Amino acid sequence: MAHKTKAFFVLFLILFWVMVGFGIIIPILPFVVTHFGGGPTILGLFMASFSIMQFFFAPLWGRLSDRIGRRPVLLIGLSGYGITFILLGMATELWMLFVIRMLSGVISSATIPTAMAYIADITEGEERSKGMGLMGAAMGVGMIFGPALGGWLGHYGFAVPFYVAGALAILTWPFAYFFLPESLKQLGSNLNRAEKMAKLSLEVLKHPLLILFMLNFISNFSISIFQGTFALFGADRAGFGSKEMGSIFTMMGVIGVIIQGGLIGRLVNALVMPTWLKQDYLSPVRVWPLSWWPQICSP
């Protein structure tokens, strides 16, 4: 039990500082791109480049972690995260920003998925849910402090938040190296199961939770559009700078943690969640008939 507690603490610390570092640059990224001559379209492509790389490479890192272990992949992700953010602070041309940002998406995508897989390795049942919730809390709190710190640091120069974000990742690396043991008992033992789970079929379309995944995609899509353009909108309409944007994103983070951490669960249980979903949501995944889809939208 003691080793699990230590692992939880180290992972909480890692994800907290990683998300602080990620949040630091949110208020100043649009100003950095425009500083180098990019317009709204270039800004959108720049923001998307990071996520596109994560989309393609996160599954590859996951498979690699099944082969060689969670710990080395997590260390690679932290190293790449820190180095690429420092390089972003040193960039002098717009194309450099794009190349380094894409490289950051490739390497840093090893961090969060591997940390979640680590929790899945060392927990079961209700303890796993608590562990995942704890990691989510770490990321949520990190996103509260990150933008506030980034908005304040951006006032002293656009490169400063990048250097601080990179330094936080590098300083977190020793904690993972010295205090985080490997979680996989037999390296490569989960590979066949992971490969089987990765094979998609049309049966997925019959699962009622698919509509929730689609709604989640639309929600995150909208939030990404907002994060990528609101700084320019605020600067144009109200003269907001990095400090003001940092304060706004911090308030958003606080409200998000309050709603997601305490309010939504109670409201769903009391008002929305249908009885069949309450009973089966945490059970092993089953294929449901397409005719049951409307039930997910009804009380």
Side-chain angles (χ1 to χ4, degrees):
M1 187 63 182
H3 71 281
K4 286 187 180 181
T5 302
K6 183 174 72 172
F8 283 155
F9 175 77
V10 174
L11 287 173
F12 184 95
L13 185 65
I14 289 173
L15 292 184
F16 170 74
W17 285 118
V18 163
M19 295 311 295
V20 167
F22 181 81
I24 280 176
I25 68 170
I26 288 179
I28 56 99
L29 269 182
F31 300 111
V32 172
V33 173
T34 55
H35 173 74
F36 284 106
T41 301
I42 298 297
L43 173 61
L45 293 174
F46 179 75
M47 300 288 283
S49 63
F50 181 82
S51 300
I52 290 173
M53 292 298 102
Q54 285 194 320
F55 176 81
F56 285 109
F57 283 90
L60 300 180
W61 287 116
R63 293 185 62 185
L64 182 62
S65 72
D66 285 325
R67 290 183 181 273
I68 67 174
R70 312 298 188 204
R71 184 172 175 271
V73 173
L74 189 60
L75 292 173
I76 291 171
L78 283 173
S79 301
Y81 185 95
I83 293 172
T84 54
F85 271 72
I86 291 174
L87 291 176
L88 281 170
M90 300 171 63
T92 57
E93 300 288 342
L94 187 59
W95 67 267
M96 293 182 183
L97 287 177
F98 267 92
V99 172
I100 300 170
R101 184 66 170 167
M102 293 174 70
L103 180 61
S104 179
V106 170
I107 304 178
S108 65
S109 62
T111 307
I112 295 178
T114 307
M116 293 301 183
Y118 191 107
I119 292 294
D121 290 338
I122 65 175
T123 58
E124 293 182 0
E126 185 178 349
E127 187 182 22
R128 179 172 298 171
S129 300
K130 292 180 180 179
M132 294 295 183
L134 185 64
M135 297 305 104
M139 292 188 287
V141 175
M143 282 299 293
I144 291 176
F145 288 98
L149 183 59
W152 178 73
L153 292 173
H155 184 70
Y156 299 96
F158 289 145
V160 176
F162 290 107
Y163 291 140
V164 173
L168 287 174
I170 292 175
L171 291 174
T172 305
W173 193 91
F175 287 93
Y177 183 82
F178 290 108
F179 301 112
L180 199 65
E182 179 54 56
S183 62
L184 282 181
K185 304 303 180 183
Q186 294 180 345
L187 300 183
S189 60
N190 293 335
L191 183 59
N192 292 333
R193 182 172 65 87
E195 288 179 341
K196 291 179 181 179
M197 292 176 64
K199 294 180 180 178
L200 298 179
S201 69
L202 294 179
E203 295 296 315
V204 176
L205 299 178
K206 298 179 181 180
H207 199 286
L209 293 184
L210 177 64
I211 193 170
L212 291 184
F213 297 146
M214 294 169 62
L215 290 173
N216 188 53
F217 170 81
I218 294 172
S219 174
N220 284 303
F221 185 83
S222 303
I223 292 173
S224 298
I225 293 175
F226 170 81
Q227 289 179 341
T229 58
F230 184 68
L232 298 181
F233 178 81
D236 179 68
R237 294 296 181 91
F240 286 169
S242 60
K243 280 188 175 181
E244 290 79 9
M245 294 310 305
S247 299
I248 290 174
F249 280 112
T250 298
M251 287 188 290
M252 289 172 53
V254 172
I255 294 172
V257 168
I258 293 174
I259 293 176
Q260 295 178 24
L263 187 59
I264 288 296
R266 295 181 180 180
L267 289 177
V268 168
N269 287 328
L271 303 175
V272 180
M273 187 178 289
T275 303
W276 68 268
L277 186 56
K278 288 182 182 179
Q279 296 172 347
D280 296 310
Y281 182 74
L282 295 178
S283 65
V285 174
R286 295 188 289 179
V287 177
W288 298 84
L290 279 169
S291 60
W292 290 19
W293 275 25
Q295 296 185 45
I296 204 156
C297 301
S298 61

